[in-house]
Amino acid sequence: MAENDTRHTVLKEYTETEEDYTSKITKLVSLMKKSKFITVYTGAGVSTAASIPDIRGEHGLETKQTPLVVLGLKEQDLDCIYPTYTHCAITELVKMGVVKFVATSNHDGLHQKSGLSDEFIADVFGNVFVEKCLKCKRL
């Protein structure tokens, strides 16, 4: 396996003290209860625990300036990557009706793999699992 190959490495997710976590969750729940329409916007950080490098992090693609293919992470490799707890939690919040819509700058398809229906998501930069016919323009 190449030195920078992270396909089989589970990256540690960020954790906080229980006190900080409880305080932030309490505030979030309070805001969510007051809200009428919640949209969640996700970026690269939500997929790093699935071993997909982020853009600006310490080991991010912007830092390395290395294309995914050079890193050994080709589109077909995304078939073997699973959604994180965050993807699954967001999907459950949508199913419960708490979150109404998800917009993501990721194109890894992990929101859909977590069970999120296409009607509730906008893949801002596209999705590697969706192709468009150049002739008829259908997806």
Side-chain angles (χ1 to χ4, degrees), residues 51-120:
S51 299
I52 298 176
D54 65 6
I55 300 298
R56 292 177 191 84
E58 181 181 342
H59 302 288
L61 297 177
E62 188 176 80
T63 306
K64 292 179 178 182
Q65 294 295 313
T66 307
L68 288 176
V69 173
V70 175
L71 290 174
L73 188 60
K74 301 180 238 31
E75 286 181 15
Q76 62 265 31
D77 292 333
L78 290 173
D79 287 335
C80 301
I81 295 177
Y82 298 98
T84 65
Y85 291 124
T86 304
H87 293 101
C88 296
I90 292 169
T91 296
E92 286 307 310
L93 289 170
V94 170
K95 288 178 180 178
M96 293 167 54
V98 175
V99 170
K100 305 296 184 197
F101 198 75
V102 177
T104 184
S105 62
N106 297 340
H107 59 272
D108 54 31
L110 292 181
H111 283 293
Q112 289 86 343
K113 279 187 173 185
S114 72
L116 186 62
S117 172
D118 286 336
E119 68 186 286
F120 296 108

